[in-house]
Amino acid sequence: MINIWSRVLITLFALAVISCAVRDRRPASHQPDKSIVPPDRAVFFAEEAAEDPAGNDGSAGKVSDYSRGHRKDNLLSDDESAIKAVNLQEGLEAVARIKDQQQLYKVATCAGLRLVRKEAIYRLQDQDLLYRIAKEEDWYLRWAAVEVMQDQKMLAEVAFHDPDPLVRENAVRSLQDTEALSRILEEEKVVAVRTAAVRNIHKQDLLVKVALNDPDARLRMQTLNMISDHRLLLDVARNTEEDQLRTAALSKIRDRAIIDELSRDSRDPVLRVSAIRLSDSQETLASLASDASQPVEVRTAAVEGLTGADLLEKLVRGDDPPAVRVAAAGKIEDKALLADLAEKDPSPEVRLAATAHLEDQSVLYSIATGDKDALVRAKASGRLKDQDALTRVALDDPDEKVREESVARIHDHDLLLKIIEKDRSGRVRARAVGGLDINDADLFSRLALDDPSPQVRWRAVARLTDQELIYRIMRNDPSSSVRKAALLRLTDQELLGAYLESGSDWRLRAQIVPMIRDAEVLARTAEKEPDDDVRQKAWRHLYAKDKLNHIKSAELREMIRKFNEEAPPEPDPRETRLKNGLSHPLLAERFGRIEVRVVRETTDRRYVLDETAGGYPPPRGRVVTEKWSARVTTEHSGILSDKVFRGHRGRKGESFHPGLPVLEGNFIKFNSADIDYVDICKDVLKEMDKEDLEIMAANGSKDLRTAATELLNP
């Protein structure tokens, strides 16, 4: 009887082990939708260590001390105990007792618990066995094996050929072979792997090559920070076309003689000016600033670094180009000299620069009321403090820019109300409305409805609280900026929903979508909205808020998922829309042939799910964020528009559902850029006259019509 019961217990134990192993090996696609964190090594291993109830450290490259545990008196050998262990502590203790490399290999490839496998791998020293593990199908085993692998040829083989970027990155971290690392930097597509390679590069000339040529801007800058040779830093500064990289390279050069040599003799004007701005040699700067044969930009850069008061006064009082004299005026600290320049210098640019540093109120008032140049008077008015002086300027100056600067500093409510009623300039009246510190609903309502200036109405709407009135203004005001200001004040969900369903401005309706809290309203918009942009905005918002269950059609739900999760097809329909929209004959007549250049770039963030939350091997995900750049140029007018749009970056925790596309073992989310075509079109149209804008508003593409209408009614 005892033997029978013993066999029954052993059988039940074996079934339990098999059940646990099957459970731990569920494919990632079967896991529930969990929040996944980026695989930052400290965080990642802290989570793994947390699985150990005894609190032992399971960090990479460390062998934990489990040998203090007591071996159970059972029928299994240590390697069998480790392989079949259900309890993590018992499995780790069994591994700690194993000395034989073949047995450790067996545990590493067969154990049911992930941390038991990893512990066995970390105790392996046989490089051939580690290499065999590095060829396993299980990416996690390969990832752990290269963590402790030392053979450089084997590491290079994995770094070149492993299909998984996480494994390649881990192999590269231990790789020291410069030739292999150089090849990786040339051939590897994944930025994280190239970054790991750069950290192991010690040859300065190879670092220069990466800093100049790597396609990733962040990696180029990181690599530059590893270069210490002044000669090579100078090579980077001379050969890069990036201002930020050039300045950073020059700033790392500690040999000031090199900087001074560049300041005096460089034939590259951009490099020369950058060096001058970093120079601390007053002798060199004084020589360049005083030399009339030098280019104006060189002299101006030199003046900006000068500290000698005598030379600055000589330069500002001389007959040098205005840019040089303005730069000198901006460096002068002598108050009497500043006042003299601000009041008497024949150049309005110099008077403006000097006035910007004045504090003397009597001199400022004299300039604000007497200077011939409106910009100089406006600058002086903006530095006045006396309310009486400000009042006289605000009421009497003929230029609206001057009056606007004065009004901005006035605190008298009665005077501000008088200016609102009497001043002929909408800019000045709007500034006065902005200065009111009162809650007069009748006044702001009257101004928001009746003032002829959209600037005044915009300021007044921003002070309204009456939701019905705000809604009426949003529906009826001809100015796009006033309607947008009204939307920002509208919080009533019924009114927002009403405009979403029947409003005439599709741009406003698209902006309303994220403000709607009722999922049913969003679902109706996603299903029935005729405007593509508004409908797709609803698709994005429903997906982001995890509200797709409100969409009745399974086919539409799948379409929305793909829209939000997959990269746009090729050729890019967004680029096609922009090019077609700008192919208007009037634009060709006005500008000549228009060139549209779109550049698409992506960055990604990688995620790994903890075993206890998602099974073994641990599921992984990538959030790919798109950067979409559009430049519009013509042969006659140069750059008309240069815009950059970006998708949402991956968050600290991301959810990856089983239906996502899978690439290289990773669930992929693609966060595409949200393109503002109207903003690009407004850049192109902004210099056109009213007649041309009216033509565009009547018969251009959807984006051109909207842009022209907003420019006609700002």
Side-chain angles (χ1 to χ4, degrees):
M1 181 66 70
I2 293 175
N3 289 337
I4 292 174
W5 279 110
S6 297
R7 291 174 183 171
V8 170
L9 289 173
I10 291 171
T11 302
L12 290 172
F13 177 76
L15 288 171
V17 170
I18 293 170
S19 174
C20 183
V22 170
R23 182 196 65 215
D24 285 340
R25 286 172 170 76
R26 288 179 300 175
S29 61
H30 293 170
Q31 303 307 322
D33 196 8
K34 299 284 186 179
S35 184
I36 302 182
V37 299
D40 179 271
R41 297 179 75 198
V43 174
F44 186 61
F45 287 113
E47 289 173 349
E48 294 179 88
E51 297 173 30
D52 174 16
N56 296 301
D57 186 2
S59 299
K62 296 183 180 179
V63 180
S64 305
D65 182 10
Y66 297 107
S67 58
R68 292 174 294 175
H70 300 290
R71 179 171 179 174
K72 301 276 186 176
D73 186 15
N74 56 40
L75 303 177
L76 302 175
S77 62
D78 288 331
D79 58 330
E80 290 173 330
S81 297
I83 289 170
K84 296 180 179 180
V86 177
N87 179 277
L88 178 61
Q89 179 68 21
E90 291 178 0
L92 294 173
E93 289 175 357
V95 172
R97 294 192 295 267
I98 300 173
K99 306 300 181 185
D100 183 81
Q101 293 287 292
Q102 289 290 343
Q103 290 182 348
L104 285 170
Y105 172 75
K106 182 180 177 182
V107 174
T109 54
C110 299
L113 296 179
R114 162 182 164 196
L115 284 184
V116 172
R117 289 186 175 204
K118 189 167 69 173
E119 184 70 18
I121 290 172
Y122 289 158
R123 289 175 177 271
L124 271 174
Q125 298 175 346
D126 188 307
Q127 296 295 297
D128 290 329
L129 293 177
L130 285 169
Y131 186 66
R132 285 170 63 183
I133 294 174
K135 294 295 185 180
E136 291 274 345
E137 290 187 8
D138 186 328
W139 75 267
Y140 186 75
L141 291 185
R142 303 199 309 274
W143 184 86
V146 297
E147 186 84 25
V148 291
M149 191 182 290
Q150 298 175 352
D151 187 287
Q152 292 294 297
K153 289 185 178 179
M154 294 179 181
L155 283 168
E157 181 72 16
V158 175
F160 290 141
H161 300 301
D162 195 280
D164 194 290
L166 271 180
V167 178
R168 296 200 302 274
E169 181 183 353
N170 227 18
V172 169
R173 285 196 182 112
S174 301
L175 190 59
Q176 300 298 325
D177 186 301
T178 301
E179 185 177 342
L181 290 168
S182 177
R183 178 181 162 190
I184 288 166
L185 287 168
E186 291 179 358
E187 299 178 1
E188 176 62 55
K189 303 296 185 186
V190 178
V191 176
V193 181
R194 298 201 307 275
T195 301
V198 163
R199 289 171 181 158
N200 286 343
I201 294 288
H202 303 292
K203 291 184 65 175
Q204 294 276 292
D205 55 346
L206 182 53
L207 291 173
V208 169
K209 187 177 179 182
V210 178
L212 288 172
N213 300 317
D214 194 273
D216 185 79
R218 185 176 298 179
L219 181 54
R220 292 196 298 272
M221 188 62 73
Q222 289 176 0
T223 305
L224 176 71
N225 292 332
M226 299 174 63
I227 301 173
S228 56
D229 186 296
H230 290 175
R231 177 182 57 82
L232 296 177
L233 287 168
L234 186 55
D235 285 346
V236 175
R238 280 175 169 156
N239 292 294
T240 183
E241 295 181 359
E242 296 177 75
D243 292 340
Q244 186 178 5
L245 195 66
R246 181 188 303 108
T247 301
L250 290 174
S251 66
K252 284 175 62 64
I253 297 176
R254 301 303 177 206
D255 188 340
R256 307 319 293 174
I258 295 177
I259 296 296
D260 288 341
E261 181 183 348
L262 288 173
S263 301
R264 290 191 301 268
D265 303 324
S266 176
R267 294 181 180 180
D268 182 337
V270 177
L271 180 62
R272 190 179 185 193
V273 168
S274 297
I276 290 170
R277 288 187 172 134
L278 290 168
S279 176
D280 55 10
S281 169
Q282 288 297 304
E283 180 182 356
T284 299
L285 294 173
S287 173
L288 293 172
S290 305
D291 187 350
S293 66
Q294 297 290 344
V296 171
E297 61 269 19
V298 168
R299 297 186 67 193
T300 302
V303 170
E304 290 170 356
L306 284 177
T307 58
D310 292 342
L311 179 55
L312 287 169
E313 181 175 357
K314 179 181 177 182
L315 289 169
V316 79
R317 288 197 181 281
D319 58 356
D320 289 300
V324 176
R325 298 183 61 233
V326 167
K331 296 286 292 182
I332 288 173
E333 297 179 358
D334 185 297
K335 295 179 180 179
L337 177 56
L338 277 174
D340 188 59
L341 291 170
E343 287 189 295
K344 300 176 182 177
D345 196 275
S347 167
E349 292 92 344
V350 173
R351 297 200 306 275
L352 183 66
T355 301
H357 296 277
L358 275 179
E359 298 291 342
D360 188 308
Q361 293 294 296
S362 61
V363 176
L364 285 169
Y365 179 68
S366 173
I367 295 169
T369 54
D371 198 280
K372 294 178 292 184
D373 190 274
L375 288 177
V376 178
R377 296 200 308 277
K379 178 63 70 175
S381 299
R383 298 182 68 78
L384 284 173
K385 298 177 183 178
D386 182 77
Q387 291 291 297
D388 291 337
L390 287 166
T391 298
R392 287 191 288 273
V393 175
L395 294 176
D396 298 338
D397 197 280
D399 191 278
E400 67 175 0
K401 293 187 293 294
V402 181
R403 299 199 306 278
E404 184 182 8
E405 284 291 335
S406 301
V407 169
R409 301 174 70 84
I410 289 175
H411 308 309
D412 186 322
H413 285 180
D414 291 336
L415 178 58
L416 290 173
L417 290 171
K418 178 180 178 181
I419 291 170
I420 291 170
E421 297 298 331
K422 301 293 185 181
D423 199 283
R424 59 190 177 278
S425 166
R427 287 176 55 175
V428 177
R429 297 200 308 278
R431 182 70 75 167
V433 173
L436 288 175
D437 187 18
I438 56 175
N439 293 316
D440 189 332
D442 291 338
L443 171 66
F444 293 127
S445 298
R446 177 173 59 81
L447 293 173
L449 289 170
D450 300 332
D451 196 278
S453 167
Q455 294 165 306
V456 174
R457 299 199 304 276
W458 178 84
R459 290 273 189 176
V461 165
R463 308 291 289 273
L464 297 178
T465 57
D466 184 324
Q467 295 291 288
E468 291 288 348
L469 176 59
I470 293 170
Y471 179 70
R472 182 150 55 98
I473 291 169
M474 189 172 74
R475 291 196 75 99
N476 300 322
D477 198 283
S479 165
S480 59
S481 61
V482 175
R483 295 197 303 272
K484 289 175 185 176
L487 175 57
L488 293 177
R489 299 294 293 172
L490 193 62
T491 58
D492 186 289
Q493 287 291 303
E494 282 192 24
L495 295 175
L496 287 168
Y499 195 93
L500 180 60
E501 292 190 0
S502 62
S504 59
D505 186 335
W506 69 266
R507 294 253 282 174
L508 276 188
R509 288 191 287 120
Q511 287 180 262
I512 285 173
V513 167
M515 302 170 68
I516 297 293
R517 295 195 291 267
D518 189 328
E520 294 299 328
V521 173
L522 289 171
R524 284 199 303 273
T525 305
E527 292 168 341
K528 300 178 180 179
E529 168 62 45
D531 185 277
D532 289 344
D533 292 283
V534 180
R535 187 173 66 255
Q536 290 174 4
K537 195 79 169 182
W539 288 7
R540 288 182 186 276
H541 194 60
L542 280 169
Y543 178 86
K545 295 298 182 181
D546 196 21
K547 300 290 187 182
L548 290 185
N549 58 308
H550 292 270
I551 299 291
K552 298 174 183 177
S553 166
E555 183 179 354
L556 180 57
R557 287 198 300 272
E558 184 61 24
M559 184 185 299
I560 294 174
R561 283 191 188 279
K562 288 184 176 181
F563 174 80
N564 282 281
E565 295 168 352
E566 297 182 4
E570 292 290 352
D572 188 348
R574 301 166 301 174
E575 182 175 353
T576 303
R577 171 176 173 174
L578 180 59
K579 288 180 176 179
N580 290 344
L582 293 175
S583 62
H584 195 283
L586 184 58
L587 292 179
E589 179 184 330
R590 173 71 169 77
F591 297 113
R593 188 162 61 93
I594 291 179
E595 294 282 350
V596 177
R597 182 172 181 265
V598 171
V599 177
R600 292 172 62 184
E601 301 173 87
T602 59
T603 57
D604 65 0
R605 193 173 187 182
R606 294 175 296 167
Y607 300 78
V608 178
L609 187 61
D610 175 71
E611 179 196 31
T612 57
Y616 181 87
R620 296 174 297 162
R622 283 172 54 204
V623 172
V624 181
T625 301
E626 181 186 38
K627 175 184 173 184
W628 201 89
S629 306
R631 175 174 285 190
V632 183
T633 59
T634 70
E635 53 187 342
H636 303 308
S637 303
I639 298 175
L640 297 178
S641 180
D642 195 2
K643 298 288 187 185
V644 177
F645 305 94
R646 290 179 172 85
H648 295 296
R649 294 184 62 188
R651 296 166 294 186
K652 186 175 181 180
E654 284 282 351
S655 295
F656 293 81
H657 66 79
L660 284 167
V662 177
L663 179 65
E664 295 180 336
N666 292 270
F667 293 114
I668 303 294
K669 273 186 179 180
F670 192 93
N671 288 350
S672 58
D674 193 4
I675 317 302
D676 191 337
Y677 306 96
V678 174
D679 205 24
I680 298 172
C681 290
K682 286 170 76 171
D683 282 347
V684 174
L685 302 180
K686 63 186 177 185
E687 300 300 330
M688 297 184 76
D689 59 32
K690 181 180 179 182
E691 183 179 353
D692 286 344
L693 288 175
E694 287 174 344
I695 294 173
M696 290 293 183
N699 62 16
S701 66
K702 171 186 174 181
D703 301 319
L704 279 177
R705 290 198 311 272
T706 305
T709 301
E710 290 189 4
L711 289 171
L712 286 167
N713 300 283

